[in-house]
């Protein structure tokens, strides 16, 4: 269906893609993986035809319909939800064409064209399009959103869902999805997994959601951060991770053994050269002419042997030394003092007067508790977190935050980061660290000396997340408020955060749809926020099971 041949792309002196080649057959689904900044989005744009490569080409089979979901969906216009879906799916254009052609169906050419257009219309389920759109949108959490609502009035998460729905309703042959799971709540995410599993469309997917990738893809395209080349691996994502770890371990062992062999041979060559030097300079007495000749003859043989050994080393098929980045570690120690360290909400109503509110609700977290909050997009999870952290005052009820609590708020800080401030200045100002200590902290979180002097505005969302984790580490926060922390961190940073949470002694308040991350976070207490009511459930798996049943039921209606 699609073949990439020796794709190269650079921005100035920065090489992003180097001789990238791959192929994807009809119905195959591949994950495009790699660290942040390796060129995943750039490659998707090149395949979608939105960017031109510097060299190489993309070959796509004829009549292949491509659907591309970007991370940024702020390009939407001012049409209604249904109008947008009709336009992007092609239903609107097909209906207009059928209407024009139907004026004179006695004309053989018109009749032939009408049949062709109608066939495409039926392929897209045009006669039941509204029903299909309503079913899909209901799974994306739009049951209570009127379809005549303007898309410009939707939240960024809702816009992403509308764009995704439009692509899926288009009947595409090739799906290019850039972080499709970032703005999906868990029920919508599970529905999308089921849909893609059953879909005959080919897919290239960029995602950090490991469970999602494990269920959907059976091919891995890995962009290497160092060589900018692409490696293709077959199998599920978990299989790829295991194989990649074994491959690196095998390469390291092969390199070690060869270096030992080179050292052994080099030592033999040095020994032979020393023997040759001693023999060639041995004089002895005049009566030892025979022995002198023997030693010089043996010295010549030793010299030849040394050259043979050196030639052997030179002709070896050298194993390249594995290039490894220093593992990313998050040093996060919760600092506790003698103050009260509990969080308590009593009959709290939160939100915006006259427009949106949740509650009354109550919640309690003791120091060290890990609380997970589940719910659909728009249910008010972020509103609840803003109320807990004091970013938004409650409308009524009581919020008690212990005097000893020092909060690291990933959500709030993302919104209020001073974009014009340099990274080094930001850490120094917020912590009273010296510039030297600030740089040392930044370097531990993957920032080099050049980046430390750049403004925060130059960072990607993932880079801003790492900057905040560096700040929280420097401040020794004892309560982490994490609102969808997996959306922008790459897998290396996610692994590091998961490892940190294993030993973190402070309180954690978590909103996430990433099942793998939630499991690793070892949630103690799980709540579901729905219709403004906060309900405690046995564990988050109960919520997942409910979402899976709903997804399967709605998928059958399509």
């Amino acid at each position: 269906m699609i073949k990439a041949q020796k794709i190269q792309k650079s921005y100035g002196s920065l090489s992003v893609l180097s001789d990238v080649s791959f192929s994807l057959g009809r119905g195959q689904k591949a994950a495009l993986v790699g660290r942040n900044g390796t060129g995943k989005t750039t490659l998707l744009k090149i395949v979608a035809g939105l960017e031109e490569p510097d060299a190489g080409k993309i070959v796509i089979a004829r009549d292949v319909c491509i659907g591309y979901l970007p991370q940024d969906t702020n390009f939407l216009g001012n049409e209604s939800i249904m109008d947008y879906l009709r336009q992007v799916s092609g239903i609107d254009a097909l209906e207009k064409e059928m209407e024009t052609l139907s004026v004179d169906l006695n004309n053989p050419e018109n009749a032939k064209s009408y049949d062709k257009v109608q066939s495409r219309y039926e392929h897209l389920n045009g006669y039941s399009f509204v029903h299909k759109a309503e079913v899909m949108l209901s799974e994306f959490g739009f049951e209570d959103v009127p379809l005549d609502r303007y898309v410009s009035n939707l939240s960024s998460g809702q816009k992403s869902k509308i764009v995704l729905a439009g692509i899926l309703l288009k009947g595409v042959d090739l799906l290019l999805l850039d972080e499709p799971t970032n703005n999906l709540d868990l029920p919508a995410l599970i529905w999308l997994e089921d849909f893609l599993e059953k879909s005959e469309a080919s897919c290239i997917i960029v995602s950090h959601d490991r469970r999602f990738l494990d269920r959907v893809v059976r091919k891995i395209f890995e962009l290497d951060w160092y060589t900018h080349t692409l490696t293709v691996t077959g199998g599920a994502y978990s299989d790829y991770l295991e194989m990649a770890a074994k491959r690196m371990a095998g390469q390291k062992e092969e390199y070690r053994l060869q270096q030992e062999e080179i050292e052994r041979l080099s030592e033999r060559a040095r020994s032979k050269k020393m023997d040759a030097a001693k023999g060639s300079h041995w004089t002895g007495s005049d009566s030892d002419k025979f022995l002198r000749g023997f030693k010089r003859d043996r010295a010549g043989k030793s010299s030849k042997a040394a050259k043979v050994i050196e030639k052997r080393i030179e002709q070896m098929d050298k194993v390249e030394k594995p290039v490894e980045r220093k593992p990313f570690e998050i040093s996060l120690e919760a600092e506790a003092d003698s103050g009260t360290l509990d969080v308590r909400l009593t009959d709290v109503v939160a939100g915006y007067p006259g427009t949106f509110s949740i509650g009354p609700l109550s919640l309690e977290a003791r120091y060290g508790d890990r609380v997970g909050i589940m719910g659909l997009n728009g249910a008010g999870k972020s509103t609840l977190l803003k109320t807990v952290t004091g970013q938004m005052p409650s409308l009524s009820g009581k919020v008690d935050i212990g005097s000893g609590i020092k909060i690291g708020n990933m959500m709030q800080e993302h919104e209020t980061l001073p974009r014009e401030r340099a990274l080094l200045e930001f850490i120094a100002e917020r912590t009273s660290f010296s510039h030297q200590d600030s740089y040392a902290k930044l370097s531990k979180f993957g920032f080099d000396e050049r980046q430390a002097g750049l403004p925060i505005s130059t960072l990607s969302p993932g880079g801003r997340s790492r900057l905040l984790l560096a700040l929280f580490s420097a401040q020794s926060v004892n309560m982490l408020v994490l609102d969808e922390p997996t959306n922008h961190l790459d897998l290396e940073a996610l692994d590091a955060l998961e490892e940190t949470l294993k030993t973190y002694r402070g309180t954690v308040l978590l909103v996430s749809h990433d099942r793998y991350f939630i499991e690793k976070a070892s949630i103690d207490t799980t709540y579901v926020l729905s219709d403004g009511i906060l309900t405690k459930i046995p564990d988050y798996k109960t919520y997942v099971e409910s979402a899976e049943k709903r997804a399967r039921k709605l998928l059958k209606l399509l």
Side-chain angles (χ1 to χ4, degrees), residues 190 194 215 543-553:
I190 291 171
D194 290 341
R215 282 196 62 186
Y543 183 68
V544 174
E545 290 169 1
S546 173
E548 287 175 342
K549 289 178 183 177
R550 175 182 166 84
R552 285 192 292 268
K553 181 180 177 181

Side-chain angles (χ1 to χ4, degrees), residues 361-386:
L361 50 83
S362 298
L363 178 149
E364 182 174 328
R366 306 283 295 177
Y367 181 66
D369 282 354
R370 298 181 177 214
V371 179
I373 300 174
M374 310 293 146
L376 299 177
N377 285 354
K381 303 186 298 295
S382 294
T383 298
L384 174 58
L385 294 189
K386 288 179 180 179

Side-chain angles (χ1 to χ4, degrees), residues 150-330:
Y150 288 111
V151 292
S152 57
N153 294 330
L154 301 176
S155 68
S156 58
Q158 289 174 320
K159 286 178 180 177
S160 294
K161 289 180 176 181
I162 291 297
V163 174
L164 180 57
I167 291 170
L168 299 181
L169 289 167
K170 190 178 179 181
V172 298
D173 306 298
L174 174 62
L175 280 165
L176 306 173
L177 306 177
D178 197 353
E179 299 290 4
T181 65
N182 272 7
N183 292 305
L184 297 182
D185 45 47
L186 192 53
L189 174 57
I190 291 171
W191 181 90
L192 181 61
E193 284 178 351
D194 290 341
F195 180 91
L196 293 178
E197 276 190 291
K198 293 175 173 61
S199 172
E200 296 179 0
S202 302
C203 299
I204 302 178
I205 304 169
V206 174
S207 177
H208 297 145
D209 192 310
R210 287 152 286 193
R211 284 286 161 80
F212 178 79
L213 293 179
D214 257 345
R215 282 196 62 186
V216 175
V217 308
R218 288 299 175 268
K219 204 169 187 178
I220 310 296
F221 296 157
E222 179 190 11
L223 280 172
D224 187 270
W225 67 275
Y226 185 73
T227 64
H228 311 294
T229 57
L230 185 140
T231 305
V232 181
T233 307
Y237 183 68
S238 293
D239 298 332
Y240 149 76
L241 290 177
E242 188 176 338
M243 289 172 60
K246 287 180 178 178
R247 185 172 66 238
M248 176 57 74
Q251 190 178 352
K252 287 166 69 174
E253 179 64 10
E254 191 178 356
Y255 177 79
R256 184 187 69 79
L257 291 173
Q258 187 178 73
Q259 290 303 303
E260 286 183 357
E261 177 65 3
I262 289 173
E263 180 58 33
R264 185 184 70 82
L265 293 174
S266 297
E267 182 59 36
R268 280 187 60 193
R270 283 193 294 270
S271 178
K272 292 291 184 184
K273 284 182 176 180
M274 288 177 64
D275 289 344
K278 288 178 181 177
S280 64
H281 293 96
W282 194 84
T283 54
S285 63
D286 289 341
S287 61
D288 291 334
K289 291 180 180 178
F290 177 79
L291 181 59
R292 184 165 60 244
F294 170 76
K295 285 190 175 288
R296 289 180 178 178
D297 181 60
R298 192 169 69 174
K301 290 180 179 179
S302 293
S303 180
K304 287 179 182 178
K307 289 179 180 178
V308 169
I309 294 170
E310 287 175 338
K311 191 71 174 178
R312 181 178 167 188
I313 294 173
E314 185 182 322
Q315 293 178 341
M316 272 186 180
D317 188 9
K318 297 293 192 301
V319 177
E320 286 190 25
K321 183 177 182 179
V323 180
E324 289 186 283
R325 285 208 328 195
K326 185 180 178 181
F328 181 44
E329 297 179 353
I330 297 174

Side-chain angles (χ1 to χ4, degrees), residues 421-475:
R421 185 78 77 240
L423 277 63
L424 196 63
E425 293 175 357
F426 171 73
I427 293 295
E429 289 171 0
R430 297 290 292 271
T431 61
S432 298
F433 276 19
S434 67
H435 275 205
Q436 183 178 352
D437 289 341
S438 296
Y439 173 69
K441 179 63 69 175
L442 286 170
S443 66
K444 288 183 179 180
F445 284 77
F447 298 105
D448 59 31
E449 189 172 0
R450 181 187 65 86
Q451 289 174 306
L454 293 176
I456 294 171
S457 60
T458 62
L459 296 178
S460 66
R464 293 198 295 272
S465 294
R466 284 192 288 114
L467 175 64
L468 289 174
L469 289 171
L471 174 65
F472 298 161
S473 173
Q475 293 176 332

